[in-house]
C-alpha cells in the first residue's frame, strides 16, 4: 500500500470533475509537487491518470491549485481519445511521475525541441488495470522520445513493482522479448492518436527507437531538476500552480488547512448519471 488515497469532486465526465490526492494522514496534497519522485531505491512513484482501455483524457491540472486530476478540455468540450483500430482506448495504464517537469524553455539536446510544460509521462505495462488517482510504484524500463506539435514529450515505459511478472522485466529488451509487438503498438498508437481529431501524425526522435533504462532514468532525473527550479521559484512557471504542503524550500508551501479549504469550496462528488459509451462518443465526433 502506498499510503496515498484519492477523493473525487463533482460528477465524472463533466467540466467540474476533479480527483484530489491525500496523504496517509488524510490531508490534501498536490500529486505534482507533494508525492516524492522516488518510492524506493531505483523505484519511482507514478500517478495514474488514465486506466488502461479507457478513453477519457484525464491529466494532472498543472494550473489549478493542488493540481487535481481532471478531464482535458478543448474548445469547451471534454476530450476523449478515439479507438484506433485495433486498439481500445489507452493501451497501458497512463500517468505521470511526480516532481518532474518538462521545461518549455529548455531545448532538449536529443530532440531539438523544448519541453511540453507537463510532468513526464509514463506508460505502465503490467497486467493490472489501475484506478484513476491511484499511486503505484514502478520500475523504469526505457523511454520513447515523442515530438508532439514541435514539443518534446518523453514517454517512460515502466512496470508496477507489484505485478506478478515484475521480476522478469529489468530493461527495454525484456519488453521486446516478453511482450512481442507491444512496443511497436505503442509507437503506432502515439503516432496516430490525434489523427481522428484532424491533427497530423506525431514524430519521434531516434527514428522511434526506444532507449534503455539508464537513458530513461537520466532523462527523469533531468526533469526532476527542472521541477526543483520551478517549485523553488528559480524558474518562472508562467501560470503553473506550485502550491504544495511538503516542499520546505518552496515559497509556495501552504498549510493543510489552506489546502482543505480549496477542496471544500468545490462541489461534492456525484455519481455519473450515464457513462459515455464508445457509440455516444462516435456520434458526438460525427456531429462536431
Amino acid at each position: 500500500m502506498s499510503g496515498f488515497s484519492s477523493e473525487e469532486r463533482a460528477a465524472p465526465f463533466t467540466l467540474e470533475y476533479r480527483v484530489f490526492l491525500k496523504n496517509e494522514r488524510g490531508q490534501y496534497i498536490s500529486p505534482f509537487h507533494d508525492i516524492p519522485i522516488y518510492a524506493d531505491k531505483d523505484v519511482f512513484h507514478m500517478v495514474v491518470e488514465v486506466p488502461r482501455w479507457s478513453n477519457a483524457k484525464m491529466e494532472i491540472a498543472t494550473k489549478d491549485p493542488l493540481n487535481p486530476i481532471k478531464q482535458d478540455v478543448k474548445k469547451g468540450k471534454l476530450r476523449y481519445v478515439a479507438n484506433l483500430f485495433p486498439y481500445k482506448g489507452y493501451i497501458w495504464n497512463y500517468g505521470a511521475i511526480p516532481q518532474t517537469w518538462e521545461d518549455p524553455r529548455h531545448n532538449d539536446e536529443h530532440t531539438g525541441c523544448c519541453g511540453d510544460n507537463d510532468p513526464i509521462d509514463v506508460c505502465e505495462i503490467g497486467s493490472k488495470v489501475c484506478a484513476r488517482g491511484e499511486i503505484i510504484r514502478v520500475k523504469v524500463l526505457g523511454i520513447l522520445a515523442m515530438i508532439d506539435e514541435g514539443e518534446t514529450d518523453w514517454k517512460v515505459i515502466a512496470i508496477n513493482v507489484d505485478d506478478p511478472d515484475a521480476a522478469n522485466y529489468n530493461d527495454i529488451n525484456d519488453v521486446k522479448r516478453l511482450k512481442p509487438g507491444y512496443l511497436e503498438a505503442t509507437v503506432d498508437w502515439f503516432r496516430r492518436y490525434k489523427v481522428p481529431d484532424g491533427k497530423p501524425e506525431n514524430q519521434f526522435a531516434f527514428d522511434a527507437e526506444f532507449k534503455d533504462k539508464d537513458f530513461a532514468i537520466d532523462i527523469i532525473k533531468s526533469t526532476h531538476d527542472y521541477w526543483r527550479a520551478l517549485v523553488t521559484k528559480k524558474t518562472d512557471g508562467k501560470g503553473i500552480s506550485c502550491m504544495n504542503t511538503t516542499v520546505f524550500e518552496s515559497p509556495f508551501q501552504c498549510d493543510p488547512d489552506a489546502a482543505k479549504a480549496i477542496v471544500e469550496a468545490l462541489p461534492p462528488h456525484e455519481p455519473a448519471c450515464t457513462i459515455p459509451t464508445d457509440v455516444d462518443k462516435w456520434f458526438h465526433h460525427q456531429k462536431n
Side-chain angles (χ1 to χ4, degrees):
M1 293 295 290
S2 67
F4 300 103
S5 61
S6 63
E7 179 180 309
E8 296 176 292
R9 287 276 162 160
F13 315 113
T14 66
L15 293 172
E16 297 76 24
Y17 178 70
R18 301 288 187 273
V19 180
F20 286 90
L21 273 292
K22 296 192 285 188
N23 62 19
E24 67 280 0
R25 296 184 297 278
Q27 298 168 328
Y28 295 105
I29 59 172
S30 163
F32 188 0
H33 307 301
D34 289 317
I35 296 173
I37 180 174
Y38 292 104
D40 205 341
K41 179 176 170 56
D42 298 326
V43 177
F44 294 85
H45 278 124
M46 172 183 172
V47 181
V48 178
E49 298 166 317
V50 185
R52 183 188 291 115
W53 313 135
S54 63
N55 296 75
K57 192 176 188 303
M58 301 281 179
E59 59 186 18
I60 290 172
T62 58
K63 295 184 177 180
D64 290 7
L66 294 181
N67 316 113
I69 295 169
K70 69 176 182 181
Q71 190 164 354
D72 192 23
V73 175
K74 195 78 169 180
K75 296 181 180 178
K77 297 178 181 179
L78 297 168
R79 288 187 66 189
Y80 298 88
V81 299
N83 289 323
L84 290 173
F85 183 82
Y87 316 116
K88 167 65 178 77
Y90 286 74
I91 62 174
W92 348 253
N93 294 302
Y94 191 68
I97 295 178
Q99 296 187 340
T100 63
W101 182 53
E102 295 196 55
D103 187 347
R105 294 167 188 78
H106 171 71
N107 192 286
D108 190 281
E109 64 177 307
H110 306 291
T111 65
C113 298
C114 295
D116 71 348
N117 206 28
D118 285 322
I120 198 167
D121 296 321
V122 190
C123 304
E124 192 280 319
I125 66 170
S127 56
K128 175 188 173 184
V129 176
C130 295
R132 185 184 310 128
E134 187 174 354
I135 308 301
I136 61 174
R137 299 172 302 143
V138 298
K139 182 194 301 187
V140 168
L141 305 172
I143 198 166
L144 176 68
M146 190 175 91
I147 301 171
D148 183 351
E149 299 183 37
E151 295 179 334
T152 301
D153 193 0
W154 292 102
K155 306 297 181 184
V156 175
I157 306 299
I159 189 166
N160 191 335
V161 297
D162 294 324
D163 190 272
D165 293 327
N168 297 322
Y169 291 85
N170 296 292
D171 211 326
I172 200 68
N173 286 330
D174 295 322
V175 184
K176 296 176 184 176
R177 177 172 56 88
L178 297 171
K179 289 183 180 285
Y182 202 4
L183 295 179
E184 291 82 355
T186 294
V187 172
D188 183 45
W189 194 96
F190 278 122
R191 190 187 303 279
R192 297 191 293 124
Y193 83 101
K194 288 187 175 182
V195 172
D197 295 325
K199 297 287 186 69
E201 291 186 348
N202 285 320
Q203 305 299 313
F204 303 90
F206 307 114
D207 294 322
E209 174 193 352
F210 286 83
K211 307 303 283 185
D212 64 16
K213 173 183 179 177
D214 290 341
F215 186 100
I217 290 175
D218 284 344
I219 294 295
I220 295 168
K221 287 179 177 177
S222 71
T223 63
H224 180 59
D225 291 340
Y226 298 136
W227 167 83
R228 178 72 62 186
L230 173 72
V231 81
T232 56
K233 211 175 180 179
K234 293 175 182 174
T235 298
D236 182 4
K238 291 190 175 179
I240 288 182
S241 174
C242 293
M243 176 182 284
N244 67 85
T245 63
T246 61
V247 186
F248 298 117
E249 65 271 36
S250 171
F252 305 103
Q253 186 182 12
C254 71
D255 62 50
D257 288 338
K260 182 179 180 181
I262 288 170
V263 179
E264 291 186 343
L266 299 175
H269 174 60
E270 302 172 16
C273 295
T274 57
I275 297 177
T277 65
D278 293 330
V279 174
D280 293 332
K281 285 176 281 187
W282 185 85
F283 279 114
H284 176 80
H285 182 73
Q286 298 306 308
K287 289 188 295 182
N288 295 280

